Amino acid sequence: MDLPNTSESESFTGSDGFLSRMAINDNKAGMEGLDKEKINKIIMDSTKGSRFYENELKKDQQVNHRIEKMMQQRAQLTDHQLMKSTLKVDKLVCELEKGCDLSRTVVHIDMDAFYAAVEMRDNPDLKDKPMAVGSMSMLSTSNYHARKYGVRAAMPGFIGKKLCPSLIIVSPNFDKYRAVSKQM
């Protein structure tokens, strides 16, 4: 994942975890070939000082505190305690594997941009425009036109609008999505 240059990153925070959560994650269909550096700069510039940014900083500090606490606990373990724990876990894994029922097959289908597809079906004017389902606080999904700008699910809508000023944000209608999903 490409992040802003080091000196710019340090002005946001000293934490790589924080930066990687804030930066664009382009591991999504329709997001190939994006200018990640440009998108990351827009994301960081758009979020500085916002409640979203402050919340991400707070979460990062909490995670780092938990990691530090675990590392301290780990440092106090003896080799004997580690070996005993490893054997206990190995035994538990064996027991779980023995009880594993492989007679059934479960298929999970990810309906990519499902909410957006339903909205475009119901309002064909949206088909050729960048659109997302959600709110200015958080987007649930976006169509492929919006993804070309770096707009994606789990992104605050206000950032999506900075990345794509022509982005149309449609409020979610979960009752409609449930009804359509039952038809499939």
Side-chain angles (χ1 to χ4, degrees):
M1 179 177 305
D2 295 336
L3 297 172
N5 65 45
T6 307
S7 60
E8 194 175 328
S9 301
E10 289 169 358
S11 69
F12 298 121
T13 179
S15 169
D16 290 337
F18 174 79
L19 285 173
S20 67
R21 280 197 319 278
M22 296 293 286
I24 185 71
N25 176 348
D26 63 349
N27 187 22
K28 197 85 167 147
M31 298 188 82
E32 302 83 12
L34 297 177
D35 184 345
K36 291 186 268 186
E37 190 172 322
K38 177 183 173 189
I39 292 169
N40 286 336
K41 182 169 179 12
I42 291 169
I43 290 171
M44 295 307 276
D45 289 347
S46 300
T47 58
K48 277 187 279 185
S50 70
R51 286 190 328 224
F52 171 75
Y53 182 89
E54 296 303 321
N55 188 50
E56 289 298 312
L57 273 178
K58 183 179 174 183
K59 287 195 299 190
D60 193 58
Q61 291 168 349
Q62 291 170 342
V63 167
N64 287 336
H65 177 72
R66 285 196 309 264
I67 290 170
E68 182 61 35
K69 189 175 177 181
M70 285 188 247
M71 296 298 281
Q72 289 171 356
Q73 291 171 337
R74 165 59 178 94
Q76 294 175 0
L77 293 175
T78 65
D79 288 341
H80 176 72
Q81 288 171 314
L82 283 173
M83 185 171 31
K84 187 176 176 182
S85 295
T86 300
L87 291 172
K88 189 175 180 179
V89 169
D90 287 345
K91 182 179 176 184
L92 179 60
V93 167
C94 286
E95 289 174 21
L96 289 171
E97 285 178 345
K98 285 179 191 173
C100 188
D101 179 7
L102 299 177
S103 64
R104 294 179 6 173
T105 302
V106 177
V107 177
H108 173 85
I109 300 172
D110 180 1
M111 299 296 293
D112 193 44
F114 177 70
Y115 298 170
V118 172
E119 294 300 338
M120 290 185 295
R121 178 200 71 178
D122 292 351
N123 182 354
D125 290 342
L126 297 173
K127 283 186 179 180
D128 295 322
K129 297 175 183 166
M131 63 84 61
V133 175
S135 68
M136 290 299 276
S137 299
M138 192 58 60
L139 301 176
S140 298
T141 191
S142 63
N143 68 2
Y144 286 85
H145 295 294
R147 290 180 186 185
K148 292 175 188 173
Y149 296 90
V151 177
R152 61 166 290 144
M155 172 181 278
F158 74 90
I159 294 175
K161 287 290 248 183
K162 294 277 186 178
L163 292 169
C164 178
S166 61
L167 180 69
I168 299 166
I169 299 177
V170 177
S171 295
N173 183 338
F174 297 111
D175 290 335
K176 177 168 56 172
Y177 309 143
R178 269 191 289 279
V180 172
S181 71
K182 287 179 182 177
Q183 295 170 3
M184 300 179 118

